[in-house]
Amino acid sequence: MGDIRNILILTGAGISAESGLATFRGPDGLWEGHRVEDVCTPQAFRRDRALVQSFYDQRRAALAAVVPNFAHLALARLDAAWPGELLIVTQNVDDLHERAGATRLLHMHGELMSALCLACGARSRWSGDLGDGPACPACAAAGTLRPDIVWFGEIPYQMERIEAALGRADLFVSIGTSGAVYPAAGFVQQARACGAATLELNLEPSAGSAWFEETRSGPAGALVPAWVDEMLAR
Ligand code: OAD
């Protein structure tokens, strides 16, 4: 790797696995016992609102029982110390990056701790349940809040900011993601086209591994702190 000033880091469910949160594509192909299309689409929400609200209410409540792991903490350390541009783009809807202390962070697939109002479009911080139809803090309409999650068929958040950061990146690092869901799965090709070095840190080779110049296999809790140490020693 040559001179590195600007870093873009993409994270996925694998970075939170060692905190005890299930990844999406486990060996049984289910997410917490559900088919992804039964809980992660606008159609599913229209078909069975109570099921989808209750599913995300459980995921939100589960966050209280988990803590950031060594990988989240190492990225927060890099974020605090890195003098160049740095952006952590997470596909995760948990809040473990920010609880570890990361600040240069965006949630492209939304957040469990946020509610989206179908009436006024406001996004409000949310820590309780949505299933009992609470009023929107912004417009006061009742029963209009849905999980602020980007479901299949919806457009991820802040794509322009991500594209701009990809264009400026000297290094693109992908951590704990299967490379199965676009547009995030295509970031490595975009980064390469703009001249960035590319590195994958994942438990096992992913669907996109062949696109990376370097791939390291192992648990994020070990690989990420070691890589951060390397970066800060440069
Ligand atoms: P996946 O469940 O598809 O992939 C998780 C990846 O993490 C796999 O490649 C695992 O091998 C790897 N992994 C598991 N444990 C690990 C560990 N301890 N250390 C390092 N890697 C580990 O999750 P994502 O790629 O994040 O979208 O899924 C992408 C999107 O699909 C999600 O954001 C979600 C889902 O549909 C939405 O909810 C909108």
Side-chain angles (χ1 to χ4, degrees), residues 5 12 15-16 27 62 67 92 99-100 127 173 176 178 189 201 208 223 225:
R5 189 174 156 72
I15 200 169
S16 296
V67 292
N92 296 345
R99 277 159 61 191
S127 56
V173 186
S178 62
Q189 293 162 57
L201 307 177
L223 291 184

Side-chain angles (χ1 to χ4, degrees), residues 1-7 77-78 81-84 86 170-173 196-199 213-214 216 225-234:
M1 280 180 215
D3 257 6
I4 292 172
R5 189 174 156 72
N6 301 336
I7 308 176
R77 187 158 55 89
L78 183 65
W82 188 254
L86 178 146
D170 304 308
L171 173 62
F172 172 78
V173 186
T198 52
L199 169 67
E213 277 162 7
E214 186 185 349
R216 300 182 191 175
W227 170 70
V228 166
D229 287 346
E230 276 170 40
M231 293 306 295
L232 293 177
R234 283 172 74 95

Side-chain angles (χ1 to χ4, degrees), residues 12-14 18 23-25 91 109 150 152 176-178 202-204 220:
E18 288 156 81
T23 58
F24 291 89
R25 293 169 185 80
Q91 299 167 87
H109 288 167
V150 177
F152 284 96
T177 175
S178 62
N202 207 51
L203 192 59
E204 62 211 353

Side-chain angles (χ1 to χ4, degrees), residues 31 36 39-46 49 52-53 55-56 109-110 116 118 146-156:
W31 184 28
V36 165
V39 286
C40 298
T41 63
Q43 293 81 353
F45 187 68
R46 279 197 292 275
R49 186 181 278 231
V52 174
Q53 292 284 31
F55 178 77
Y56 284 97
H109 288 167
L116 173 66
L118 292 165
R146 60 163 263 190
D148 190 6
I149 306 287
V150 177
W151 285 323
F152 284 96
E154 298 181 326
I155 298 166

